Amino acid sequence: MNKKYFFFDIDGTLTDRKTNRIVPSALEAVNRLKAAGHFVSLATGRALYKADLFRRQNGFENMVCNGGHGIVIDNKVKENRPIVYEKALALYRQAEELGFGILTALDDSKKVYAKDFRFYEQVGIRKEPTTYIIDSDFDPGKEAVIYKMYIAVPENEEDKMTLAKEYKDDIGYIRFEPEYLIFQPDAKLEGILRMLSFVGGTPEDVVVFGDDYNDLCMFDERFYRVAMGNGCDALKEKADYVAPLNIEDGIFRTCEEHGWF
C-alpha cells in the first residue's frame, strides 16, 4: 500500500459538534491509519494554544494549525507565524478611523489588547475564554508582531473596511459572529504544502477530510478530498467523495471502504 498523508479538520469532522469530543470511531480510524504506516495530521484554523490540548489528548503527533501558519511535527512546534504586520497595522488604523472597536492579539494566547472598551460596548463579551488587557496607551504600531485582530464590524457595514477585501489573500478574515470580523490566517492549503516539504510527502498522496466553508481552501485538486456528510454543500460539490455523517462513523467507514487500513 502506498503511504498516504492524511489531514483532518477538527470541528465537525473529527468531533461531534454537540459534545465537542472526538467521535470514537474516528479516533479508532486515525490509530489504524497510523498503524498501517500512513502519515496523519490535524489541519485546523484554531490557534496553536487552542488546538494543542486536543492534539495531545487524542494522540496526534502532527498538526497544521493557526489557519496554516502553525506547524507541529513529532510533537514539536516547527513554526507559528503571525499575520503580515504592515497590512494588519493598516487594517487597525482604518478600523480606528471608522470608530470600530478593536482587540489585538500580540502572541499565541487568549490575551487581547485594546486602548479602550469600545469593542465591549459594540459587541459585548466574546463567547470564548479571553483575557482582556485595556491600556489607554496601547498602540500596535509600537509592537513587533500581530497574531490576530477582532474588529467590531457588523455585517451591514463590512464594505466600509475596504482594506479587508484588499488584504484578504495576505491576511484572511472570517465571520463567525454577525457583530465582528476575525482577522487571522486562512491558509490551510499553504500549511499542508509546507508540512509536506518538511516530511517529504507529495500532494498526489494527500487525503483531506473537512466539513465547513473554511475547509474549501484545502480542497486542492491535487488532493483526494473527502467531505463529511454533515458538511456544507459547497464543500460536497468540490469533493471527490462524500462520507457518511461524522457521528455515523463517517471517517471510519470511508477509510475502510477505500482500503486505507
Side-chain angles (χ1 to χ4, degrees), residues 128-146:
E128 58 185 281
T130 305
T131 298
Y132 300 90
I133 301 171
I134 309 300
D135 179 356
S136 60
D137 293 326
F138 174 71
D139 180 356
K142 300 176 182 178
E143 307 296 335
V145 297
I146 296 174

Side-chain angles (χ1 to χ4, degrees), residues 11-217:
D11 302 297
T13 300
L14 287 168
T15 66
D16 180 344
R17 287 190 182 273
K18 291 183 179 178
T19 65
N20 292 321
R21 295 178 179 274
I22 193 166
V23 176
S25 64
L27 183 57
E28 182 181 353
V30 165
N31 290 332
R32 290 184 63 173
L33 288 173
K34 290 193 288 187
H38 299 299
F39 177 89
V40 177
S41 174
L42 296 171
T44 177
R46 292 188 192 183
L48 176 63
Y49 82 93
K50 289 182 182 178
D52 209 46
L53 178 61
F54 179 91
R55 180 188 69 79
R56 289 184 280 108
Q57 286 179 333
N58 294 289
F60 286 87
E61 294 84 9
N62 310 297
M63 177 170 69
V64 173
C65 60
N66 190 17
H69 279 205
I71 302 287
V72 176
I73 301 175
D74 292 334
N75 299 306
K76 296 180 180 179
V77 179
K78 187 78 172 178
E79 61 183 43
N80 190 25
R81 297 181 290 123
I83 56 180
V84 180
Y85 177 77
E86 294 79 9
K87 293 186 176 181
L89 185 59
L91 283 167
Y92 182 96
R93 299 296 187 218
Q94 184 175 71
E96 195 173 34
E97 290 176 6
L98 292 168
F100 297 128
I102 314 161
L103 302 176
T104 305
L106 301 178
D107 58 14
D108 184 77
S109 75
K110 65 180 180 179
K111 294 184 295 184
V112 294
Y113 296 78
K115 65 188 300 181
D116 52 38
F117 290 91
R118 186 171 298 180
F119 186 95
Y120 170 75
E121 292 165 354
Q122 295 173 347
V123 173
I125 295 292
R126 295 183 61 237
K127 294 178 181 178
E128 58 185 281
T130 305
T131 298
Y132 300 90
I133 301 171
I134 309 300
D135 179 356
S136 60
D137 293 326
F138 174 71
D139 180 356
K142 300 176 182 178
E143 307 296 335
V145 297
I146 296 174
Y147 268 81
K148 189 179 293 190
M149 287 194 304
Y150 306 87
I151 300 180
V153 185
E155 284 183 292
N156 60 352
E157 296 186 52
E158 192 171 312
D159 288 344
K160 293 181 179 179
M161 286 292 298
T162 56
L163 292 180
K165 291 183 180 179
E166 184 177 341
Y167 295 161
K168 183 169 177 59
D169 290 342
D170 297 305
I171 295 180
Y173 66 87
I174 300 172
R175 182 181 292 280
F176 290 125
E177 306 293 340
E179 299 87 1
Y180 65 91
L181 285 173
I182 306 173
F183 290 86
Q184 64 181 34
D186 185 22
K188 282 187 180 181
L189 173 59
E190 178 190 340
I192 290 172
L193 293 176
R194 286 206 319 283
M195 174 73 89
L196 293 178
S197 71
F198 287 131
V199 300
T202 60
E204 291 72 25
D205 290 322
V206 167
V207 181
V208 292
F209 283 75
D211 75 301
D212 214 341
Y213 292 99
N214 65 337
D215 296 319
L216 283 167
C217 66

